[in-house]
Amino acid sequence: MPDTDPHVRARGRRGRRIPAWVRSHAGLAILIAAPVVVFGIPLCFGQVFLDGDNFLQNFPLRVLVGQDLIHGHLPLLDPYIYSGAPLLGGFNAGGAYPLTWLFAILPSGLAWTLNLIAAYEVAVAGMYLFLRRQPVSATAATFGAAAFAFGGFLSGQIVHIDLISGAAWLPWMLLGVHGLTEPRVETQSAGGASDEAPRWWWAVVLAGATAMTILAGAAESVLDSAVVVLIYLIWRYWRYWRHSSTDSPGRPGRRRLAAPLAYLAVSLGVGLLASAAQWLPGLVVTAHSQRATATYDFFTSGSLPWRLTLLVFSPFLLGTNQNEVASYFGTYNFPEVTGYVGILALIAMFALVAGRWRRAEASRWWIWYVILVISLLAALGGDTPFGHVLYAIPGIKSQRLLNRNLLGVDFALAALLAWWVQLVLTDRRPPGPDDPPRGHGVTKAAGTQPPGAVASGRSRHRSRRVEVVVTCIPLAVVSVLCVGSWLWGSGLEQAIGTALPSTSDMRLAVAAVLIGGVVIAAVATWVALFPGRFSPVALRRVLAAIMAVDLIFFTALSLHGPVTHASAYAEGPPAAQLAAATGSGRFIIYDPDRFENGELYALGQTDVNVLTRVPSAQGYAALVDGRYYQATGAHLQEDLNPATLSGTTWDQLNVTVLLSLPSYFVTPVPTTPAPQLATPFPVYPSLFGVPPVDNSVPLAAGGRHTWYFGGTLTVGSGEIPVQGSSASASARIGLVTPTGSVHWLGRPVRASRDPQGPTGPPGASFRFQLRAPTLAAGIVVQNGPGRSVTALAPEVTTEEDGTVALDGRLQGSVNPPHWTFSGTIGAFGVFRNAHPRGWAWTTARDAGGQPGRVQQLSAGIDGSQRFLVRAADPVWLVRSESPLPGWGATIQPVDVVGAGSDSNPRGSPVAAPVVSSTVTQRVAVPAGDFVVTFRYEPASALVGLALSAVGGAALVVGGVVLGVGWRRRRRARASLRTG
């Protein structure tokens, strides 16, 4: 007996609805499942997709956010980098992004994978829904969603989860703008309710997408998306104005014109309010950072070189993002030049301007050409005069990586692809009884005349020739680049710009990869020119197969494989050795050229040290406190200003060890001239430069000097030049042993040297020859009892690098007794600082006063610290912490019970102002025994969080109310239909 319960029947219909939807939207279902499969399966085997900045920065910072939340702290400060750096206000952590909060309740690997999956799911769903509103068919929208989500920007920039998370919300923002500027056609259903979604729906969509874009924590996504949204908004409102003025001129029309503006203002206002937790403290941090006074050169330093726009056609022209088949060797790192969204999108871009522009639908897609051109000009930045226009816009001028405007280029290409697929498939579909008559087109598959028009034979043939030519342009470009790579090889690569000279094997590997691109382009072009050879169903499947092969081929050579949990967390002996060497202090590493990337990861370099909980005075972030940056030069990865190592800056920052490599202490003596590169490497220009090293070292009678190797080298012989004819024959030479002690050699051989130049002083040299090659970390020269001399950079022969001169950029700055060699960790030499000041110390406030004693009582994961200060006179408590605005301190008198940390409070804590100096902080403490507590609570972050709470609540309440209303209307319509 059939079940007559309507609720049971409704559940049955819902149970059958999902399989039916999957069958009718198979392509979209595959797109939705792809991120789950690609990222989820490796997670089941303990591996996660981490590479580049995700490995170094985004993953550790998000783990720290989760730990802060678990311990009941707001994620405001990262105490492990830059001697304390803003966490929420620094943008990169995405601390206010709701999906980041998963790190507080889920294992970090699972939380990270869910964030990756969510970014691509949001992009797929948003792009599909937006294109359906254009309007294009479900099939065409699926093609556009695939191109946007799995090609170009979102695929290449997977190494920056903050970027792709923010960019994924761009189609949702455009969807909201589209809905708010849609002319209202009031149609009533049978129940008397309008069939159109109310504008408040689209206001909530726009507000929510705006908030999520900002909260994702990538300023470039916000700015680049804003450019696209603003252009689209202007175009949509112009179309709305034309429709309203034609449909209802006069006073009612003016009211109609004001309505979408009001909704837009409210929705953008709510979106900004809900995201205040990110942008408000972020703007304050930016105002105090190195970007506060960004120059035009800094602003355009990340512009896309115009020659690299060829990579939009052939992304692997300079190698792949894999070590195999051919490692990338361009002048800019691979993710920052990636804008390839598939050959079909390029064909669509050209084909739509060849005759099809006469169609009535053309008025809907020309805006994407405008967005494409403007976004491309913005990406080129300093390579065009448009860079000066961008620099004049407040807010945008603090950006550096203008190349990321490729987001707008890729979005426009994906939209054009959807329209092209729509037209091709529509023209292949048999006409329905309600379809308007089709005009004669340039091909069987593409009617280009307005409905009802009849073109002459000559016009048809001319249009046909034009369409064939422009449709073949992408294939022609890809083919020319492939042939040029085979025949011209290094000449083509140098014309485009390479960072390193390529070998013949590399060029052959690149050319082999390019052949695959040519084959895909040839098949796609043939199908685009002759769609009439396929039935509508077969044509759809062929196009889908071409796009799938193209994007899979691109992704396979662009995406790095997953890493293990141990690699992600730097769980291994090198990290443990670094922690033991650092002790109760901070470490610094000097390897700005990243000679030993693998060992840096294993050490737990910045910002991976956040996971190992070993604090550093360096870091890797977009924003650095301006004073701290000027004093240290610490901004780029494992970089610093070498001149600061000989001063007291790092002593005040409680740096206990420095790690570096021989590459920065010694220079190989070339036997042949070094090859000249075609172009310099422009990605990370040196912000301080490398000052020339003075090779002369004055040696008084009996004085000595040490030249370090920066690690250990196997030495066979050496020579130390000296200036001055009175060089003592009783000078001594010693080798620094691998443990840091000095082993003195026998008496060196003294030999005369020719004077340097016709007026140069006479000189001599001390030479030594070891009986057997010996592992050493440096050379020590001690002058005899004679007169003072000037020693020049020694030259030694080594088994590793041949003859080297000890004149590297760190010579003269890393010397005993300040820095003493104490061993190695892998290839890195470890230098111990003899004068670290500790986490805090006291200085007298008055002349003749005596400093007190300081004892650290506690240190929190949020950066808070408590100190016990005992002083007979008023003192300054100086704290080894970056001078960020937002720090506060309280002072509480206590009765000290013992020499330990036990104490009894004698009064309420009193707020004390924190005075910032160049790299430290200080608080005035009266005479007596006091507990001083430091907390980082910037007002901008607290106000921003409060505003976000209000805006977020408004969004949630608005969404719930609208959802309940929609559900009621849907039930009412369903009951009327069944009644």
Side-chain angles (χ1 to χ4, degrees), residues 135-141 361 417-427:
V136 298
S137 66
T139 299
E361 300 97 324
L417 170 64
W419 272 110
W420 180 79
V421 172
Q422 166 77 5
L423 297 181
V424 170
L425 295 180
T426 300
D427 291 337

Side-chain angles (χ1 to χ4, degrees), residues 11 113 137 185 343 466 548 610 661 740 787 858 864 897 906:
R11 285 196 296 270
T113 302
S137 66
V185 180
I343 195 66
V466 171
V610 172
L661 295 165
R787 297 183 180 180
S858 64
S864 60
V897 175
R906 289 193 287 108

Side-chain angles (χ1 to χ4, degrees), residues 195-517:
D195 287 335
E196 291 195 25
R199 277 201 173 101
W200 283 118
W201 265 112
W202 307 117
V204 170
V205 170
L206 178 57
T210 301
M212 296 295 278
T213 300
I214 298 174
L215 292 174
E220 289 86 357
S221 288
V222 177
L223 296 173
D224 302 344
S225 297
V227 172
V228 178
V229 171
L230 179 61
I231 298 172
Y232 188 74
L233 172 60
I234 294 172
W235 177 73
R236 285 289 301 175
Y237 192 75
W238 174 73
R239 287 177 59 89
Y240 179 86
W241 173 80
R242 291 187 61 192
H243 181 277
S244 297
S245 60
T246 303
D247 180 60
S248 179
R251 191 180 180 107
R254 286 195 296 269
R255 285 198 294 268
R256 280 201 183 94
L257 291 177
L261 292 180
Y263 282 96
L264 286 167
V266 171
S267 58
L268 290 175
V270 173
L272 290 174
L273 185 67
S275 59
Q278 184 62 74
W279 62 260
L280 185 57
L283 290 179
V284 173
V285 172
T286 302
H288 292 86
S289 74
Q290 86 285 4
R291 298 197 181 194
T293 56
T295 63
Y296 181 76
D297 290 339
F298 177 85
F299 171 68
T300 57
S301 62
S303 300
L304 178 70
W306 64 268
R307 291 172 293 183
L308 294 186
T309 55
L310 290 174
L311 300 183
V312 174
F313 291 85
S314 186
F316 306 123
L317 186 60
L318 296 177
T320 71
N321 204 31
Q322 307 283 1
N323 293 330
E324 300 293 343
V325 178
S327 182
Y328 181 76
F329 52 91
T331 57
Y332 217 147
N333 65 75
F334 185 86
E336 302 296 356
V337 297
T338 299
Y340 181 77
V341 292
I343 195 66
L344 287 178
L346 297 173
I347 290 175
M349 177 183 66
F350 289 100
L352 285 177
V353 300
R356 293 185 187 273
W357 62 270
R358 299 190 191 90
R359 299 182 64 133
E361 300 97 324
S363 61
R364 293 179 177 270
W365 70 62
W366 67 262
I367 184 60
W368 301 116
Y369 288 98
V370 175
I371 291 175
L372 189 153
V373 171
I374 294 178
S375 297
L376 181 59
L377 290 174
L380 295 173
D383 279 13
T384 69
F386 193 65
H388 293 278
V389 177
L390 294 175
Y391 185 67
I393 301 175
I396 292 183
K397 66 185 300 182
S398 61
Q399 188 182 184
R400 180 174 64 89
L401 295 172
L402 294 176
N403 59 283
R404 292 177 178 175
N405 282 282
L406 284 174
L407 169 61
V409 175
D410 290 353
F411 192 96
L413 287 173
L416 291 173
L417 170 64
W419 272 110
W420 180 79
V421 172
Q422 166 77 5
L423 297 181
V424 170
L425 295 180
T426 300
D427 291 337
R428 288 298 301 131
R429 177 175 56 83
D434 299 329
D435 288 347
R438 297 176 183 172
H440 298 282
V442 292
T443 67
K444 289 182 179 181
T448 61
Q449 301 295 334
V454 178
S456 66
R458 181 179 300 176
S459 176
R460 289 199 305 271
H461 288 299
R462 184 170 57 251
S463 299
R464 170 64 174 169
R465 288 195 298 269
V466 171
E467 182 171 11
V468 169
V469 170
V470 298
T471 302
C472 291
I473 289 177
L475 173 61
V477 174
V478 174
S479 301
V480 168
L481 293 176
C482 180
V483 173
S485 181
W486 277 100
L487 300 181
W488 196 15
S490 60
L492 175 63
E493 292 158 0
Q494 292 182 11
I496 297 173
T498 57
L500 299 171
S502 60
T503 64
S504 59
D505 291 341
M506 294 170 64
R507 290 194 294 272
L508 288 175
V510 168
V513 171
L514 295 184
I515 290 178

Side-chain angles (χ1 to χ4, degrees), residues 3-15 967 971:
D3 198 335
T4 58
D5 188 344
H7 296 290
V8 174
R9 291 200 305 271
R11 285 196 296 270
R13 287 194 298 270
R14 286 194 293 269
R967 188 176 181 84
R971 287 180 175 177

